[in-house]
Amino acid sequence: MAQPESLAELLNGRRAAVDATVPAAGYLAGWLAFGQSIWGGAITAVVCALAISWWRLRRGEKPRAVLIGLLGVCVAALIALRTGNAADFFLLQLFSNAASALAWSVSIVIRWPLLGVIVGAVLGQKTRWRRDPALLRAYMRGSWIWVLQYLIRLAVFLPLYAADQVAALGVARIALTWPLVAACLAVSWWVIRRSLPAGHPGLRHPVTEPAPAS
């Protein structure tokens, strides 16, 4: 099989991890620095998100993707301010991981694995990858690794949220972002490569027609 760039390079996993980690670290730092003040944490998180957004836009990245990330931090901050519970800053993260685990699982069951949908869109293949049975099977297997990623976060976040452990939630959010994303990308890429048969041309070249008889 051909050896294209990894999933981490294709999907720019480092950027997504940084965008998710920095505002959470800012919230925790602000909450602690201002005497466990939700306002202090919320303002610090939003400032961090604004700084990341400005940097992304300066680098010429798509405004819509940048603004979605900023909006997520603002909504998380508003939830915590509205409820008066500092741990509720991480409530949006809990719901998003639960929804993601469900969505990825359903996508595999209906044979539209989201990993294939995302990589296919990045590579400009539209749905051509689905006409390659080997590639479809590989994406389905690789997508289960992503489901596991979201379930691991839920298994850690839910008990901490139930116990109202704000500092531990912040640390867990940081620890389970970049390291877990990196592991997920590496393992799912390994699963895809192992699932494709020898001689397959790789992700960029779906085999949509039967090979000629020898």
Side-chain angles (χ1 to χ4, degrees):
M1 187 187 73
Q3 301 281 335
E5 62 270 47
S6 68
L7 284 180
E9 293 168 326
L10 282 174
L11 303 182
N12 207 347
R14 186 187 300 273
R15 180 188 66 185
V18 169
D19 290 355
T21 300
V22 173
Y27 179 80
L28 179 58
W31 181 74
L32 292 171
F34 291 95
Q36 300 188 355
S37 164
I38 298 176
W39 274 101
I43 291 173
T44 307
V46 172
V47 168
C48 289
L50 285 170
I52 292 173
S53 300
W54 174 81
W55 184 55
R56 298 294 185 206
L57 291 172
R58 289 263 303 183
R59 290 169 57 88
E61 298 186 18
K62 294 180 179 179
R64 184 174 65 177
V66 172
L67 292 176
I68 288 174
L70 175 61
L71 178 62
V73 176
C74 291
V75 170
L78 286 173
I79 291 173
L81 291 170
R82 175 67 177 173
T83 63
N85 181 6
D88 283 350
F89 178 83
F90 304 97
L91 194 59
L92 187 62
Q93 180 77 3
L94 278 169
F95 280 116
S96 67
N97 277 278
S100 296
L102 178 61
W104 281 74
S105 298
V106 171
S107 77
I108 298 168
V109 172
I110 65 174
R111 299 180 65 83
W112 275 90
L114 283 175
L115 187 55
V117 173
I118 294 168
V119 175
V122 170
L123 297 179
Q125 296 171 344
K126 297 183 179 179
T127 61
R128 195 155 50 91
W129 57 272
R130 287 197 78 245
R131 300 199 296 274
D132 181 341
L135 196 52
L136 174 60
R137 182 172 58 252
Y139 279 136
M140 291 175 68
R141 292 175 179 174
S143 291
W144 282 120
I145 305 302
W146 291 67
V147 174
L148 180 61
Q149 170 195 205
Y150 298 121
L151 292 178
I152 289 173
R153 289 203 188 97
L154 286 174
V156 174
F157 290 159
L158 277 173
L160 294 176
Y161 178 78
D164 200 31
Q165 296 293 317
V166 181
L169 275 169
V171 173
R173 172 71 182 274
I174 296 167
L176 294 180
T177 301
W178 168 238
L180 191 56
V181 168
C184 178
L185 288 166
V187 175
S188 58
W189 174 231
W190 179 83
V191 169
I192 288 174
R193 290 179 56 193
R194 293 281 294 181
S195 300
L196 290 175
H200 192 284
L203 306 186
R204 291 185 176 274
H205 307 286
V207 180
T208 56
E209 297 179 358
S214 57

